[in-house]
Amino acid sequence: MKLALYVNYIQRRIQTMDVLYKTCCGIDVHKMKLVACLCKGHKQEIKEFSAKTKDIKAMANWLEENQCEMVAMESTSVYWKPLVNIFEMRGLNYMIVNAKDFKAVPGRKTDVLDSAWLADLLRHGLLKSSFIPSREQRELREATRYRKAITEERARALNRLQKLLEGANIKIGSVLSTITGKTTMNLLDYVLNNDEMMDEKTAETLIISRISASVKEVTEAMEGIMTPFQKMMMKQVLTHLHELSERIEEMDIIIETYMAEYWEAIKKLEQIPGVGKKSAEIILAEIGLDMNQFPTAGHLASWAGVAPGNNESAGKRKSGRTRKGNKILKSTLAQAAKSAAKNKNSFFHAQYQRIAIRRGKNRATMAVAHSILIAIYHMLKDDQEFIDLGSDYYHQFNTEKKINSYLKKLAALGYRVDEHSTISPVG
């Protein structure tokens, strides 16, 4: 009884708010069915459609006949994409809403009530639209995400190969820098297709690139104990690796073809330490070239999930965990941040070292990723070149305080600095 009264109270409060859209529609999206609630004035009309293209077109006709001003739907998995494809073709205005931004009042969890709740909130302008790129960019995203997935699968296949080699007493991974080079592939091909042991003369003919190890070391590393089953498994893994490598090369060609208009932006992003060509392609496929869709750099960082969260109460700052954000973009920025932190001549290295000491490596990585994304935002929006602040950037602030701190540390170690700025041991 109390819950029903509370729901009625919320509904009355919403009805007294200002109306932003006189005619609007909320759609509860599922894999097989769609429940739409059309608000027209104070009247609501609810219809159910299947998720097939024919029925989605019928829904679009129904919305056009009623002169619907705006449509809102939940960003449920990928089930919103068929609707968006048709709405874009018809010129219907729509917004995709994150589920956490319109959590329903307890006791309202049915398909019909969810669609009505969406329509009510939309009618009064209480929903926040998620960023949905154009169809061309969405297709480009699918290509870069697929390449990233098969690249990660190739890394897992390499780990499987390394485990099989260790299980067969073959230590070639400890002798050569990589197990994916042509020399390694030649050596493995010989071992898998020949029953006799490899000698130094044979190994010398199979080595086709410069390696740091001697022929003797390579021969000893390739001496293993391999069963027929291990040979069969290793051949399967090598075939899988070869197929994945070919697929990655094919995807590189496809992505380069469809990212022709991004070429200048890619070259610009490659100026940033830690950002390579493939990383730049993924980042641009996720955020696009038009930065006007994000009001500020902070909005972009928050959407990507690399900005610190806001959690403050009674003047006390609590845990500022980052939000989930865009997983692909977030992981790519984290990889770029780890690479940039290794460049000792860059500002990102200084930033990473400064934060890692106090807050740990993970927080330092996120801070560097945040800085990289902020730089990308301004480079794209203001058409600027990247300028590295330098590894000595933080040394320019509080110079006297730092000098006194270092002098105290020297004194604690038994040294002193005289008036001629020479350091000498005490006593």
Side-chain angles (χ1 to χ4, degrees), residues 10 16 35 38 76 86 125 132 134 155 214 218 223 228-229 235 237 250 270 334 412 424:
I10 294 295
T16 58
V35 180
L38 181 69
T76 306
I86 293 175
I132 303 297
S134 65
S214 64
V218 172
E223 182 182 352
F229 178 78
K235 287 179 181 180
V237 174
E250 292 172 359
E270 286 184 283
S424 60

Side-chain angles (χ1 to χ4, degrees), residues 268-269 272-273 275 287 291 297 300-301 333 347-348 368-388:
K268 185 178 291 187
L269 263 59
I272 303 174
V275 179
I287 67 176
M291 292 296 101
L300 173 59
L333 289 170
F347 162 77
F348 299 127
V368 174
H370 179 263
S371 297
I372 290 175
L373 189 58
I374 297 297
I376 290 172
Y377 176 86
H378 290 291
M379 290 170 69
L380 295 177
K381 185 171 184 178
D382 304 327
D383 194 22
Q384 298 179 356
E385 299 294 322
F386 177 75
I387 300 175
D388 199 322

Side-chain angles (χ1 to χ4, degrees), residues 293-340:
Q293 56 210 358
F294 301 103
T296 65
H299 284 80
L300 173 59
S302 177
W303 175 79
V306 295
N310 291 325
N311 188 5
E312 183 179 322
S313 180
K316 294 183 179 180
R317 178 79 177 179
K318 299 183 180 180
S319 174
R321 292 175 62 89
T322 58
R323 56 176 291 175
K324 292 182 179 180
N326 186 313
K327 293 181 181 179
I328 303 297
L329 179 58
K330 188 174 183 178
S331 63
T332 303
L333 289 170
Q335 291 174 0
K338 290 178 180 178
S339 178

Side-chain angles (χ1 to χ4, degrees), residues 104-375:
V105 178
R108 294 180 57 92
K109 193 65 190 83
T110 67
D111 295 340
V112 172
L113 290 176
D114 280 347
S115 62
W117 182 250
L118 263 173
D120 276 340
L121 295 176
L122 174 63
R123 183 167 178 261
H124 298 90
L126 299 177
L127 293 178
K128 182 173 65 174
S129 176
S130 299
F131 163 56
I132 303 297
S134 65
R135 181 161 188 172
E136 291 76 14
Q137 189 179 337
R138 294 201 300 269
E139 292 171 348
L140 187 59
R141 276 182 174 185
E142 292 178 359
T144 55
R145 290 179 180 185
Y146 177 60
R147 184 183 63 181
K148 189 174 188 296
I150 57 179
T151 302
E152 292 171 352
E153 177 58 32
R154 185 174 181 273
R156 287 191 287 269
L158 282 173
N159 290 335
R160 294 189 195 102
L161 177 61
Q162 181 62 45
K163 289 179 180 179
L164 288 171
L165 291 173
E166 290 293 332
N169 288 36
I170 296 177
K171 296 289 186 178
I172 192 65
S174 303
V175 176
L176 301 182
S177 59
T178 177
I179 61 172
T180 58
K182 292 183 178 180
T183 295
T184 308
M185 292 296 111
N186 287 343
L187 294 169
L188 289 177
D189 184 65
Y190 179 85
V191 171
L192 293 175
N193 296 291
N194 294 276
D195 295 328
E196 62 270 12
M197 297 295 294
M198 182 185 298
D199 54 22
E200 292 186 16
K201 186 177 181 180
T202 304
E204 189 174 3
T205 61
L206 296 173
I207 297 173
I208 61 174
S209 59
R210 295 182 61 183
I211 58 175
S212 58
S214 64
V215 177
K216 183 179 179 182
E217 289 175 334
V218 172
T219 306
E220 292 175 350
M222 292 303 297
E223 182 182 352
I225 303 172
M226 190 177 299
T227 64
F229 178 78
Q230 286 175 317
K231 286 186 177 182
M232 180 185 66
M233 285 295 299
M234 206 169 293
K235 287 179 181 180
Q236 293 294 323
V237 174
L238 287 171
T239 302
H240 186 44
L241 270 172
H242 182 67
E243 291 173 352
L244 289 172
S245 298
E246 288 185 345
R247 191 63 55 81
I248 292 171
E249 290 175 1
E250 292 172 359
M251 290 305 303
D252 287 340
I253 296 172
I254 292 173
I255 291 171
E256 286 181 5
T257 302
Y258 282 88
M259 292 197 76
E261 61 178 303
Y262 292 78
W263 180 245
E264 292 184 4
I266 291 172
K267 297 299 292 182
K268 185 178 291 187
L269 263 59
E270 286 184 283
Q271 300 173 12
I272 303 174
V275 179
K277 181 182 177 182
K278 289 187 177 180
S279 297
E281 288 173 347
I282 294 173
I283 292 170
L284 291 173
E286 296 297 326
I287 67 176
L289 295 174
D290 183 14
M291 292 296 101
N292 292 323
Q293 56 210 358
F294 301 103
T296 65
H299 284 80
L300 173 59
S302 177
W303 175 79
V306 295
N310 291 325
N311 188 5
E312 183 179 322
S313 180
K316 294 183 179 180
R317 178 79 177 179
K318 299 183 180 180
S319 174
R321 292 175 62 89
T322 58
R323 56 176 291 175
K324 292 182 179 180
N326 186 313
K327 293 181 181 179
I328 303 297
L329 179 58
K330 188 174 183 178
S331 63
T332 303
L333 289 170
Q335 291 174 0
K338 290 178 180 178
S339 178
K342 296 177 182 178
N343 186 345
K344 296 185 178 180
N345 296 321
S346 72
F347 162 77
F348 299 127
H349 173 76
Q351 183 186 22
Y352 179 88
Q353 295 296 331
R354 180 170 177 264
I355 298 174
I357 294 173
R358 300 181 290 110
R359 306 299 304 277
K361 294 181 179 180
N362 291 336
R363 286 188 173 91
T365 300
M366 278 296 104
V368 174
H370 179 263
S371 297
I372 290 175
L373 189 58
I374 297 297

